[in-house]
Amino acid sequence: MAALTVGIVYSSDMGGNARIPVENVDIGASIKVEFSKGLYIHFENSSPPLEKKEHVWINRFPDIKSAVEHRAAHFESIQNISLELDTGINIAEAVNGGLFGKKNRQIYVRYTA
């Protein structure tokens, strides 16, 4: 039984903080938001397409490309992609703070011939 499962999990963290002096008191504030969601698709016993198409995205995943080119009977891969941002902010030398963010993507591919 041929089967293909492709899944992706999106997760993000973002937030910021600030220290604001008001007269002789420093007031601090911060916020942090986290969320994630997952999507997947599963195919079983589907027919191959009548036309052969070029999939440019596959070049970014050499292990998947190699499995396809060598007609592997079984393949499983988990890829992680991460992007981070962390910056400081100073406004008129009175307000100090920062912004941060992180995005993660986890891509899962499993194929069985």
Side-chain angles (χ1 to χ4, degrees):
M1 163 177 35
L4 171 67
T5 303
V6 178
I8 186 166
V9 175
Y10 300 91
S11 63
S12 296
D13 301 337
M14 62 186 93
N17 57 55
R19 201 176 84 243
I20 306 166
V22 177
E23 299 199 8
N24 291 329
V25 178
D26 276 345
I27 298 174
S30 65
I31 186 169
K32 183 176 182 182
V33 178
E34 299 176 9
F35 67 92
S36 69
K37 65 180 175 179
L39 307 167
Y40 82 95
I41 189 164
H42 180 77
F43 296 99
E44 283 188 29
N45 297 322
S46 59
S47 301
L50 298 175
E51 289 181 27
K52 186 174 182 176
K53 295 184 178 182
E54 182 179 351
H55 300 286
V56 178
W57 62 267
I58 202 166
N59 293 326
R60 301 189 124 213
F61 302 94
D63 53 346
I64 296 173
K65 184 175 183 178
S66 178
V68 170
E69 289 175 345
H70 294 94
R71 299 175 188 225
H74 176 80
F75 176 80
E76 188 169 20
S77 171
I78 297 174
Q79 302 278 331
N80 291 300
I81 302 168
S82 181
L83 174 65
E84 292 187 43
L85 165 73
D86 192 358
T87 183
I89 298 174
N90 290 316
I91 301 172
E93 296 183 13
V95 177
N96 296 307
L99 297 172
F100 64 88
K102 182 176 183 181
K103 290 186 175 187
N104 293 310
R105 303 294 182 261
Q106 186 176 59
I107 301 167
Y108 172 77
V109 177
R110 182 170 193 247
Y111 173 79
T112 304

